[in-house]
Amino acid sequence: MRIRANVNKSLWVALLALLAFSPSLFAVEEMSQEGLANMIADCKQLEYDYATYRVKGDAQAFANVFTEEGEWGRSNGRVLVGRAAIADYINALPAREPDANPGLTTTVKVTPIDSSNANTVSYALMPASSGADLDDPVYLRRFHIASESRSVCTLTDSGWKIAKREYSTLFTEPE
Amino acid sequence: MQIMKTSFNSISAFCLLSVFITLFASSANAVEPSDKEKNEIAIICEDLLAGYAIYRDRLDAEGYSNTFAEDGVALLGSNTFTGRDALRKYITEHNNHNTHMIMYTDHDITVISDTEAVGVSTAVVLGGDRIVGPGDDPIYMDRVTAANEYHSKFKLTDEGWKLAHIEFDRIYQRED
């Protein structure tokens, strides 16, 4: 009986020692080089898709960059929730083709939260142009807006999507 | 005496052989990565540079210093910061806490081996005269402040890929 108690005590001591000296048991799972690179590439691609479809005014493709219930925070504080609301918003914008003010996505930082979630910070620079014509180049005068966007990206059944996004305009051209 | 000498020679030969095997093994370990691995390393290195920029812009000392290897080096202007403590201090003692954006336009990462890479990057920089917080008006500015060319070295550490060295040349400066 006493032997059994000692064995139990030893097992508990061993278990506590294992927990104390194995912080990795509680750490977020280690990502392989391939897993990390794929996550970064996929989340960066979302940023590029966001900019491309926004400029093209492709409402459905733009909405599909988000999760089904994705949230898109606008600069006026309004938050659009869900793909349908996001697509409706884009469709309601006045058509302007060709778009002479493409947002240039520049620095993009992807920070993994776990294997299926990541935070993304991205910068965009939007030039101010002198007009648009399909045949002539656009004459750049200056930049119009420099903004910072903050997104939460999540891995869904149909790949990586933006679950939540908000942005701040940090610089703008003088009025 | 002869036996001792023979034994000594045998031990020397064994030690020498061990050294050669170790050297050979370590050089053999630095294998040429496959194209797929090179692409993965380049993606991770670009992300390190993005971290260097965004943590610098936000004056996030922990994030900034952890972008570097323990003995990482940053040559910033005429100052050299070596090691994470010095890099952390550079950020915490930064006296120009204004809105700042390092906006990369291009990266060229060359993977040298499975533990080393180098990069050349260009960026435009916007520097404001105040912080833009939630609800604040943006800063009115119509031209970029500067354009820089960054030269960086990366290495694989126990904590993954890290910046080993970074320095930049200013290639454009706004005339005020």
Side-chain angles (χ1 to χ4, degrees):
Chain A
M1 197 67 177
R2 188 170 178 173
I3 292 169
R4 191 173 170 185
N6 282 338
V7 168
N8 281 342
K9 192 177 170 185
S10 300
L11 281 172
W12 275 110
V13 169
L15 184 62
L16 287 172
L18 184 68
L19 292 175
F21 294 105
S22 302
S24 60
L25 284 175
F26 300 106
V28 174
E29 60 187 283
E30 285 268 320
M31 293 186 76
S32 66
Q33 177 173 288
E34 182 182 15
L36 178 61
N38 286 343
M39 174 190 278
I40 294 168
D42 289 346
C43 292
K44 279 180 84 170
Q45 188 59 49
L46 281 177
E47 294 296 317
Y48 301 136
D49 289 347
Y50 172 98
T52 301
Y53 298 134
R54 174 73 181 81
V55 166
K56 285 176 182 262
D58 186 336
Q60 202 51 57
F62 182 77
N64 284 340
V65 172
F66 290 82
T67 59
E68 191 63 50
E69 296 302 320
E71 297 180 19
W72 185 31
R74 312 298 303 123
S75 57
N76 58 8
R78 183 180 171 198
V79 179
L80 300 168
V81 180
R83 284 184 187 152
I86 292 168
D88 287 348
Y89 177 89
I90 298 294
N91 277 328
L93 293 175
R96 49 191 183 107
E97 288 291 342
D99 198 312
N101 290 321
L104 306 173
T105 302
T106 62
T107 303
V108 181
K109 170 70 184 144
V110 179
T111 305
I113 300 169
D114 55 38
S115 58
S116 54
N117 293 283
N119 287 319
T120 302
V121 178
S122 69
Y123 290 165
L125 193 64
M126 184 180 284
S129 58
S130 60
D133 189 292
L134 276 176
D135 300 319
D136 296 328
V138 169
Y139 297 100
L140 294 178
R141 302 192 305 267
R142 55 187 177 269
F143 76 80
H144 175 48
I145 280 174
S147 64
E148 176 193 281
S149 296
R150 299 165 294 278
S151 301
V152 178
C153 303
T154 191
L155 185 58
T156 71
D157 291 342
S158 49
W160 283 90
K161 301 288 177 184
I162 296 173
K164 189 174 181 180
R165 184 183 175 92
E166 59 179 20
Y167 81 93
S168 311
T169 298
L170 300 182
F171 293 90
T172 189
E173 63 178 323
E175 290 175 352
Chain B
M1 194 64 180
Q2 183 63 36
I3 292 169
M4 276 181 71
K5 197 174 177 182
T6 306
S7 299
F8 182 77
N9 284 341
S10 300
I11 291 167
S12 300
F14 177 75
C15 290
L16 204 60
L17 189 65
S18 299
V19 168
F20 277 121
I21 288 171
T22 306
L23 285 174
F24 178 76
S26 59
S27 66
N29 281 342
V31 290
E32 171 86 5
S34 66
D35 287 348
K36 178 176 166 290
E37 288 166 334
K38 282 182 180 176
N39 187 46
E40 291 166 1
I41 293 167
I43 289 168
I44 292 169
C45 292
E46 285 185 19
D47 193 64
L48 283 172
L49 289 165
Y52 166 87
I54 284 173
Y55 295 133
R56 154 64 189 86
D57 293 345
R58 294 178 166 193
L59 295 184
D60 177 341
E62 276 308 305
Y64 182 81
S65 59
N66 285 334
T67 301
F68 289 83
E70 275 290 353
D71 57 351
V73 177
L75 264 66
L76 306 172
S78 56
N79 298 310
T80 302
F81 301 92
T82 304
R84 283 191 185 150
D85 286 343
L87 293 159
R88 200 178 292 113
K89 202 172 168 190
Y90 160 67
I91 296 293
T92 54
E93 293 183 354
H94 213 283
N95 56 12
N96 187 20
H97 194 179
N98 293 323
T99 300
H100 190 268
M101 300 179 88
I102 300 173
M103 309 182 92
Y104 287 111
T105 56
D106 193 27
H107 293 293
D108 184 7
I109 307 290
T110 303
V111 178
I112 298 168
S113 70
D114 56 352
T115 58
E116 281 182 295
V118 295
V120 179
S121 312
T122 50
V124 294
V125 180
L126 305 186
D129 55 2
R130 62 178 167 86
I131 289 288
V132 179
D136 291 345
D137 284 337
I139 295 166
Y140 295 110
M141 196 162 74
D142 63 353
R143 286 171 295 161
V144 300
T145 306
N148 296 336
E149 182 178 279
Y150 295 82
H151 297 264
S152 44
K153 292 178 185 172
F154 308 88
K155 68 178 179 182
L156 183 61
T157 72
D158 292 341
E159 303 167 279
W161 283 90
K162 296 285 178 184
L163 259 174
H165 182 108
I166 192 165
E167 60 184 85
F168 69 85
D169 298 320
R170 182 141 290 180
I171 51 178
Y172 164 84
Q173 173 77 50
R174 190 172 80 168
E175 189 180 39
D176 285 317

